[in-house]
Amino acid sequence: MTENAENNNSEHKAPHIPVMLSSVMRYLKPQKGETIIDGTFGAGGYSKAIMDTGANVLAIDRDPTAIANGQALVKTYEQLNLVEGKFSNLDDIAKDQGHDFVDGVVLDVGVSSMQLDQAERGFSFQVDGPLDMRMSMDSKLSGPSAADLVNRASQSDLIRIIGILGEDKHASKIARAICTRREEQPFERTLELVDCIEKVNPRRAKDKRHPATQTFQALRIFINRELDELANALFAAEEILRPGGRLVVVSFHSLEDRIVKRFLADRAQEAGGSRHLPAVESKVLTFEMLKRGTVAPSHEEIEGNPRARSAKLRAAKREDVAPLLRDLKILGMPNFSSFKTIDGKPFFAKNQIGEA
């Protein structure tokens, strides 16, 4: 969900509304009897709309709370198969559920409004809670928490995380403040971190965005390996989509959209050439773009659902060719896999890195 989702308390408490639902359905085009993967089930908004067309849904979510809350929908719709897991593994999950190929994949990338609304999850800078931010809520599976990160990462690493993943120009002074404060007392609560940030970057009356927004965003993305998850989900979709199958991705963060854009540029556009240069061998394309560039939410949707304001949708159709090799390099992603704690230990265990 959008990184601006918390900037207004009334938005924070708004009921869940699936973002860009009409556009998702327009490009996903689910048909009766087809099987669609909803890789980010959340509150089930997309899944319900898809099943109302008569299509079957394999829904995936790494958050056990979403899985528990979704059981009512499972009882209502016999076409719904709801599985706890990471969408980066959606191809393996589909095969485990008996699907060699599927007809569509839809991804709504980022933190959900439900997660923001649960103070005990630690995603929100509006309310106090444990500084956690792990989507799976299982330390054995999801690794370190946000508290572990701010208490154990080096200052230079914190600068890079906040600067790159949060795109925050105040990253250096925020990281210094965090390191100074943790020497006195380790961070345990969300509002402790908010207070630390506000002391070095006070909120001004004209600011639309809270000064903690980008730091919380950066920590969440890093802790949950969200960019790695998205990258691997795109490759997995390429593996599992049948010829003619549709891929629809809704993202809210510029780094997420950049990954989707670069993936589709590599998979759905011809290699460049010039009449003044030797001929370039035609590149194998695995997707056909359904819409050039991005689809944005309408003004009416933004007025009715302010969380949609930063959403971008990209859509493509699978070609009848074999999937290409997975190569993270084409996506231009920042590499954080080698980060170490201040005592020199790897921050993530090998089985938590999740790289292709």
Side-chain angles (χ1 to χ4, degrees), residues 63-248:
D63 187 339
T65 301
I67 299 297
N69 292 341
Q71 294 310 306
L73 207 60
V74 172
K75 294 177 181 178
T76 304
Y77 289 87
E78 62 179 16
Q79 313 109 285
L80 178 59
N81 182 10
L82 181 56
V83 178
E84 183 175 347
K86 294 182 177 181
F87 67 15
S88 57
N89 300 322
L90 63 85
D91 54 339
D92 292 332
I93 292 172
K95 290 173 183 176
D96 288 343
Q97 300 299 314
H99 303 288
D100 292 330
F101 296 98
V102 298
D103 302 285
V105 173
V106 59
L107 305 173
D108 175 357
V109 186
V111 67
S112 75
S113 56
M114 296 185 303
Q115 290 165 331
L116 288 174
D117 289 342
Q118 295 174 315
E120 67 273 15
R121 304 298 300 276
F123 290 105
S124 174
F125 52 77
Q126 296 274 10
V127 292
D128 193 35
L131 191 56
D132 195 315
M133 300 193 192
R134 290 173 293 191
M135 288 187 179
S136 75
M137 297 165 53
D138 185 333
S139 60
K140 292 181 180 179
L141 297 176
S142 58
S145 67
D148 293 324
L149 179 58
V150 297
N151 290 323
R152 298 172 61 201
S154 68
Q155 181 173 309
S156 60
D157 285 350
L158 285 172
I159 292 172
R160 189 161 177 248
I161 291 168
I162 298 169
I164 294 176
L165 299 183
E167 299 179 307
D168 194 328
K169 63 182 180 180
H170 303 293
S172 293
K173 65 180 182 181
I174 291 172
R176 284 197 300 272
I178 288 172
C179 292
T180 298
R181 197 272 190 190
R182 74 187 185 189
E183 290 180 2
E184 302 170 1
Q185 183 179 357
F187 290 93
E188 295 181 355
R189 311 287 295 181
T190 54
L191 292 189
E192 293 173 353
L193 180 57
V194 171
D195 179 66
C196 177
I197 294 169
E198 288 181 326
K199 285 179 178 177
V200 295
N201 185 25
R203 187 173 191 178
R204 297 169 296 181
K206 65 178 183 179
D207 290 341
K208 294 182 179 179
R209 181 161 53 188
H210 191 284
T213 302
Q214 290 158 284
T215 297
F216 270 64
Q217 169 187 295
L219 299 180
R220 188 203 80 224
I221 291 174
F222 181 86
I223 287 297
N224 294 292
R225 306 306 304 251
E226 291 180 30
L227 301 186
D228 288 326
E229 283 290 300
L230 173 58
N232 284 296
L234 295 172
F235 292 122
E238 183 182 48
E239 294 273 354
I240 201 67
L241 280 169
R242 70 173 70 256
R246 290 78 62 195
L247 171 65
V248 178

Side-chain angles (χ1 to χ4, degrees), residues 298-319:
S298 66
H299 294 299
E300 292 77 15
E301 176 171 7
I302 293 173
E303 289 180 1
N305 184 14
R307 285 173 170 154
R309 68 166 67 92
S310 59
K312 293 180 179 180
L313 182 151
R314 294 184 187 269
K317 181 173 68 173
R318 188 71 167 84
E319 297 280 19

